[in-house]
């Protein structure tokens, strides 16, 4: 079956589409819901989840993993990102992802985190091309050839010049539906600027056109705004751009509306805290949401940001938000109506 017949929702994304990158402990279900409410991207990815862990329902962390895959319809199209190296696990996990109602599955082949790489997963797969190809094919087969399968990876492990074309070409040989390229090597981590280089995209697009014309190509790395993303998509003639760190503290990033006022930001903070407390507090610590609250305050008040850094729990955060509202003369919807059940 051709890749074009298999792509599902990927057939309907606009030209030069924008995607929300999967970021562990950042794009959790609470933050993704806030993003969807404020102006969602064309495609949303979950945090990455271990394919091994999803098949161990008795494991202590299983509930937390399933919460990483929680979503609401407003986030669609939504793609579940998984990582691992065991073919049998991928074969069993893809039907689970389908049963959960996701629009597609993405295979993480780019995570540079030491323990992930040491296990042979993430960017560790760059040194195991045969296995990487088998994983993609296993996921395609497990989805009966109709469920969209994509890959997020890097442009090499250590050396772009010698590794990029063999690696990307091999992945394209198996015809994934879409491929997001983080424009750094594993060794570079995020220590250097992303390589938005015309020569790189010329080679990648040539490989794509020769091996898998239906595969959509996304660029990823250091893109700070949707305007910049669209400029890069046009300049490098790619299908889409994936934004990651730019979303931090700015869940309205994908919205066409003006940036929110301080009052609106405080309302967003309250809403985020409410959703986190309702959905995630039993599985994650306060510090998972604290980094978001701190980042929101970067937008308008560094002093309050410093005070937020000193908070240790949700009650502390609510007290500080109450203080901010009092000192700034802010009244929010939460003050005048019942707390919504999200």
């Amino acid at each position: 079956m051709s890749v074009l017949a298999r792509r599902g929702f990927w057939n309907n994304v606009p030209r030069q589409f924008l995607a929300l990158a999967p970021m562990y402990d950042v794009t959790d279900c609470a933050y993704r819901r806030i993003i969807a409410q404020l102006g969602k991207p064309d495609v949303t990815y979950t945090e990455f989840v271990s394919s091994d862990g999803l098949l161990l329902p008795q494991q202590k962390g299983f509930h937390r993993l399933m919460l990483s895959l929680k979503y609401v319809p407003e986030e669609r199209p939504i793609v579940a990102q998984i990582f691992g190296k065991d073919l049998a696990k991928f074969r069993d996990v893809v039907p689970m992802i389908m049963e959960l109602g996701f629009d597609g599955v993405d295979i993480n082949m780019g995570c540079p985190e030491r323990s992930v790489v040491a296990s042979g997963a993430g960017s560790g797969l760059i040194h195991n091309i045969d296995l990487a190809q088998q994983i993609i094919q296993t996921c395609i087969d497990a989805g009966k050839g109709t469920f969209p399968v994509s890959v997020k990876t890097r442009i090499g492990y250590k050396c772009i010049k010698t590794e990029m074309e063999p690696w990307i070409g091999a992945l394209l040989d198996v015809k994934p539906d879409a491929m997001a390229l983080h424009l750094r090597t594993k060794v570079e981590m995020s220590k250097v600027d992303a390589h938005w280089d015309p020569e790189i995209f010329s080679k990648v697009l040539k490989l794509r056109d020769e091996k898998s014309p239906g595969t959509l190509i996304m660029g990823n790395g250091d893109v700070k705004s949707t305007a910049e993303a669209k400029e890069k998509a046009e300049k490098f003639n790619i299908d889409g751009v994936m934004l990651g760190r730019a979303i931090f503290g700015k869940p309205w990033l994908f919205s066409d509306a003006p940036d929110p006022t301080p009052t609106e930001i405080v309302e967003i903070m309250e809403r985020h805290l409410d959703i986190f407390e309702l959905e995630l507090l039993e599985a994650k610590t306060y510090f998972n949401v604290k980094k978001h609250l701190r980042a929101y305050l970067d937008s308008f008040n560094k002093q309050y940001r410093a005070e937020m850094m000193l908070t240790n729990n949700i009650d502390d955060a609510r007290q500080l938000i109450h203080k901010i509202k009092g000192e700034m003369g802010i009244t929010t919807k939460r003050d005048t109506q019942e707390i919504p059940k999200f």
Side-chain angles (χ1 to χ4, degrees), residues 35 37-41 226 250-259:
I35 292 168
Q37 291 172 356
L38 296 176
K40 73 182 187 70
T226 56
K250 296 181 179 179
W252 52 85
L253 181 71
F254 294 100
S255 172
D256 293 327
D259 284 351

Side-chain angles (χ1 to χ4, degrees), residues 32-281:
R32 282 189 277 105
R33 197 172 307 181
I34 292 292
I35 292 168
Q37 291 172 356
L38 296 176
K40 73 182 187 70
D42 298 309
V43 184
T44 297
Y45 287 68
T46 68
E47 306 172 83
F48 78 166
V49 177
S50 164
S51 57
D52 292 19
L54 286 175
L55 297 174
L56 296 171
Q58 306 307 318
Q59 184 178 323
K60 183 178 179 181
F62 178 76
H63 179 58
R64 176 179 170 135
L65 290 180
M66 292 304 293
L67 283 175
S68 295
L69 296 179
K70 192 167 186 176
Y71 66 92
V72 293
E74 290 75 21
E75 295 174 59
R76 293 191 183 279
I78 184 163
V79 176
Q81 192 187 65
I82 55 177
F83 74 96
K85 67 171 184 178
D86 188 317
L87 294 175
K89 302 285 176 54
F90 280 103
R91 183 194 62 221
D92 293 341
V93 161
V94 169
M96 179 187 298
I97 298 297
M98 296 171 71
E99 288 176 13
L100 290 170
F102 281 94
D103 297 296
V105 65
D106 185 79
I107 309 161
N108 182 304
M109 296 189 177
C111 176
E113 200 274 324
R114 183 178 300 175
S115 63
V116 173
V117 175
S119 75
S123 57
L125 287 164
I126 298 173
H127 282 157
N128 197 343
I129 289 178
D130 287 346
L131 179 58
Q133 290 180 313
Q134 290 173 50
I135 288 171
I136 297 171
Q137 189 61 56
T138 295
C139 290
I140 291 171
D141 294 343
K144 304 186 184 304
T146 60
F147 192 58
V149 176
S150 56
V151 175
K152 186 172 189 289
T153 189
R154 290 178 175 249
I155 52 175
Y157 192 93
K158 183 176 182 181
C159 178
I160 298 171
K161 185 175 181 180
T162 60
E163 295 172 342
M164 184 186 77
E165 289 176 271
W167 169 240
I168 301 302
L171 299 183
L172 288 167
D173 280 335
V174 203
K175 297 178 171 51
D177 302 307
M179 184 183 296
L181 298 177
H182 184 123
L183 296 165
R184 298 181 178 92
T185 66
K186 181 274 175 192
V187 171
E188 288 173 333
M189 302 287 282
S190 294
K191 298 173 185 175
V192 303
D193 291 342
H195 301 285
W196 287 93
D197 183 339
E199 184 177 355
I200 285 175
F201 283 108
S202 176
K203 291 176 179 178
V204 168
L205 293 176
K206 184 173 185 292
L207 286 167
R208 189 272 306 273
D209 293 345
E210 291 172 353
K211 294 172 176 287
S212 183
T215 299
L216 299 175
I217 300 295
M218 288 171 270
N220 168 238
D222 293 342
V223 180
K224 296 179 176 61
S225 68
T226 56
E228 181 186 357
K230 291 173 182 177
E231 288 172 6
K232 279 181 161 49
E234 183 70 31
K235 178 178 179 180
F236 297 103
N237 195 31
I238 53 178
D239 300 293
V241 172
M242 180 176 277
L243 292 92
R245 288 181 293 177
I247 198 72
F248 207 60
K250 296 181 179 179
W252 52 85
L253 181 71
F254 294 100
S255 172
D256 293 327
D259 284 351
T261 64
T263 296
E264 289 168 333
I265 291 172
V266 172
E267 287 186 333
I268 292 167
M269 290 171 65
E270 289 182 321
R271 195 185 319 163
H272 192 163
L273 200 54
D274 287 340
I275 298 172
F276 179 86
E277 185 173 27
L278 182 67
E279 301 282 9
L280 292 175
L281 189 57

